Amino acid sequence: MGAVSVLKTRPQAAPAEPPRRTTRPVRRTGPGARRRRAGMLMVAPALLHAALWIGLPVVAAVYLAFTSYDVLSAPRFVGLDNFRDMLDDEVFRKSIVNTVVYTFFTVPFGMALGLLLALALNTGLRARGVFRTAIFLPQVTATVAIALVWLWIYNPRNGLFNTLLGLFGIEGPAWLASTSWAMPSVILVGIWQGIGMKMLIYLAALQTLPKDLYEAASVDGASPVRQFFSITLPLLKPATFFVLITSLIGAFQSFDQIYILTDGGPAGSTTMMTYEIYKSAFREFRVGYACAQSLVLFVLLMGFTLVNRRVMGGTRGHD
């Protein structure tokens, strides 16, 4: 019993503590990490450029949208006054309507024509390279030069359109000076100028479609029209979404051809949102008000983009 009591009362040794590990940041090494670092170094100049010349101006525009600023004096915070003024600005409201009308006609018609041209040029057509270059040429030509050419075409006295109509005994209108014909004339220029890029994107997408699907459809007896609606259009959904979004943005930002062709007239029938922003900032020196108008334009574009993404399912292709 004595030995047992001695054993019971003897203090037990404390368990040895595990060695503490110093936490140091793990530095990833290897080819993958080196490639990532090299990639970051390569894109750093572009990111810096975007931050300085895109990011900072955007932040400044959002701030100035809530101020009264005329370049000559310091900005003065006015809250929502610029947006209240827009509600009472009949010209700006009309510019929104004109922009929507211009977009409604130029975007779908341009996309349809671009797809038709891409389908035609994706076949064994002779001199395909010449036709592709001719169709794409307006896209890389300066808008001012294009507008000057169309000024001559629309000239009511010796322009191309009225000369051709005169051959049939029809007296052509003053295309750009008429409130009825000015907007259709500008829409025609917008469709013609933007059709090249749409054609090129659709043509690139068509050339990546799998040929075995068309061969299987032909074996099953599907006609070319059925193949187009059942195979081609669903597989072109990502390209269509991209063309639609870029076309919407381009249509809402139309400025050059309006400035050269009509200067927003006659009677404001062709004034666009971007043109009104330009007038507010550089003719009336209401920079704060122009920034507020730009913010409204951004919100409209973002809304249209989100709606189109929801309707079309984004860039996901056909499953």
Side-chain angles (χ1 to χ4, degrees):
M1 294 294 294
V4 173
S5 61
V6 170
L7 292 174
K8 288 182 178 181
T9 58
R10 181 179 296 175
Q12 298 180 354
E17 296 183 359
R20 296 181 180 180
R21 297 180 179 179
T22 58
T23 57
R24 296 180 179 177
V26 179
R27 186 175 181 181
R28 296 181 179 180
T29 58
R34 287 195 295 269
R35 283 197 296 267
R36 283 191 292 271
R37 288 195 293 269
M40 291 301 297
L41 289 176
M42 292 179 183
V43 301
L47 292 176
L48 181 61
H49 177 272
L52 290 177
W53 301 107
I54 299 178
L56 289 180
V58 168
V59 174
V62 173
Y63 166 71
L64 292 175
F66 300 93
T67 65
S68 176
Y69 181 49
D70 59 359
V71 180
L72 300 178
S73 57
R76 179 172 55 87
F77 185 77
V78 295
L80 299 176
D81 288 353
N82 289 327
F83 298 94
R84 296 191 188 97
D85 292 342
M86 267 189 285
L87 296 177
D88 299 329
D89 192 344
E90 183 179 354
V91 177
F92 186 70
R93 293 202 307 267
K94 189 173 184 179
S95 71
I96 296 177
V97 175
N98 290 338
T99 303
V100 173
V101 171
Y102 176 84
T103 304
F104 179 79
F105 285 100
T106 56
V107 173
F109 282 100
M111 292 178 63
L113 290 175
L115 179 57
L116 290 176
L117 290 172
L119 290 170
L121 294 176
N122 196 40
T123 60
L125 186 67
R126 292 184 177 180
R128 288 174 297 175
V130 176
F131 287 111
R132 292 174 184 176
T133 304
I135 296 172
F136 188 72
L137 190 61
Q139 187 68 39
V140 296
T141 305
T143 307
V144 175
I146 290 175
L148 291 175
V149 172
W150 280 94
L151 274 176
W152 165 73
I153 294 175
Y154 286 135
N155 191 296
R157 293 185 178 180
N158 54 4
L160 178 62
F161 279 176
N162 284 357
T163 301
L164 293 176
L165 291 176
L167 298 177
F168 299 95
I170 302 174
E171 184 179 356
W175 299 95
L176 299 177
S178 170
T179 55
S180 301
W181 289 101
M183 179 57 77
S185 302
V186 171
I187 289 173
L188 180 60
V189 177
I191 294 174
W192 176 81
Q193 185 179 8
I195 200 173
M197 181 60 71
K198 299 177 181 63
M199 178 274 298
L200 186 66
I201 295 173
Y202 275 127
L203 182 60
L206 286 171
Q207 293 178 348
T208 61
L209 299 184
K211 304 298 182 184
D212 53 348
L213 293 179
Y214 293 94
E215 295 174 357
S218 299
V219 172
D220 292 339
S223 63
V225 177
R226 181 63 182 274
Q227 293 179 24
F228 174 76
F229 286 102
S230 299
I231 300 176
T232 305
L233 277 184
L235 292 179
L236 288 178
K237 183 188 288 187
T240 301
F241 178 76
F242 177 78
V243 172
L244 177 61
I245 296 303
T246 54
S247 300
L248 282 174
I249 295 173
F252 267 82
Q253 293 180 342
S254 297
F255 172 77
D256 296 355
Q257 62 267 38
I258 302 298
Y259 181 80
I260 300 296
L261 292 174
T262 63
D263 198 27
S269 59
T270 60
T271 185
M272 302 288 184
M273 295 180 68
T274 51
Y275 184 76
E276 287 302 313
I277 293 170
Y278 158 77
K279 284 196 341 182
S280 299
F282 300 104
R283 291 187 180 179
E284 302 171 2
F285 294 101
R286 301 172 63 190
V287 179
Y289 185 60
C291 291
Q293 292 173 323
S294 301
L295 192 58
V296 171
L297 175 61
F298 170 77
V299 172
L300 288 176
L301 283 174
M302 183 61 68
F304 277 116
T305 302
L306 294 177
V307 169
N308 288 319
R309 184 178 180 85
R310 178 63 61 89
V311 172
M312 298 187 62
T315 58
R316 291 174 297 180
H318 182 66
D319 296 332

